[in-house]
Amino acid sequence: MMVDGYDADPARLADLGALEEMLHEIPAQLGMHAISEPLVVEVGPLNPRDPGGISGVVLIAESHIGFHTFPARGFVTIDVYTCQPDLDCDRVTALLKEKFLIGNMDVHLVKRGARYPSEDIYPHQREMSDVS
């Protein structure tokens, strides 16, 4: 799930502490499982299109949640990359809108792994990883 958030609160998008706290809270609130501490860093301006902001990511057992904020533009991009087959997109959208104080958003959903096997096709590989 990819979200482009417009008209977001610039103070929220620039608040490193609040953004880090979000990455501590969001996985559990979505029924996901954090497997790393969040990494949140401030990035200065890189070019005329990129006035700088804050980037953050947390690894989850289901994959990762990441964002890039652009406070001067009131804009944030958010990725919720998950293998959860029953992701409640309306719930995720509402939570992200509330957390990032987004005015309006575009949401893009890409279904991945459509042909993911329902059982192990290389059982010997699993046995090897169980040993290590």
Side-chain angles (χ1 to χ4, degrees):
M1 178 178 209
M2 297 165 285
V3 174
D4 293 331
Y6 301 91
D7 303 319
D9 181 79
R12 175 62 58 93
L13 298 183
D15 187 336
L16 196 107
L19 294 168
E20 183 175 349
E21 185 61 29
M22 283 183 221
L23 288 179
H24 277 285
E25 297 171 350
I26 290 172
Q29 290 173 335
L30 295 177
M32 299 173 182
H33 307 89
I35 58 172
S36 76
E37 287 297 312
L39 174 63
V40 180
V41 296
E42 191 165 359
V43 181
L46 299 174
N47 59 58
R49 185 167 162 80
D50 182 354
I54 297 176
S55 294
V57 65
V58 63
L59 298 178
I60 56 175
E62 299 81 5
S63 196
H64 69 272
I65 299 170
F67 63 77
H68 304 284
T69 73
F70 302 88
R73 309 253 167 113
F75 181 73
V76 59
T77 64
I78 309 163
D79 295 330
V80 179
Y81 190 110
T82 178
C83 59
Q84 278 186 334
D86 56 351
L87 184 65
D88 183 342
C89 294
D90 291 335
R91 182 171 176 229
V92 174
T93 301
L95 180 65
L96 296 176
K97 189 171 186 172
E98 171 193 327
K99 293 281 190 187
F100 287 90
L101 302 176
I102 297 171
N104 61 73
M105 55 182 28
D106 293 331
V107 178
H108 310 278
L109 185 62
V110 177
K111 293 188 177 189
R112 305 208 45 194
R115 295 181 294 122
Y116 181 74
S118 60
E119 56 188 52
D120 294 344
I121 57 175
Y122 302 110
H124 180 69
Q125 289 300 111
R126 187 180 66 197
E127 292 168 11
M128 295 294 292
S129 66
D130 290 344
V131 172
S132 51

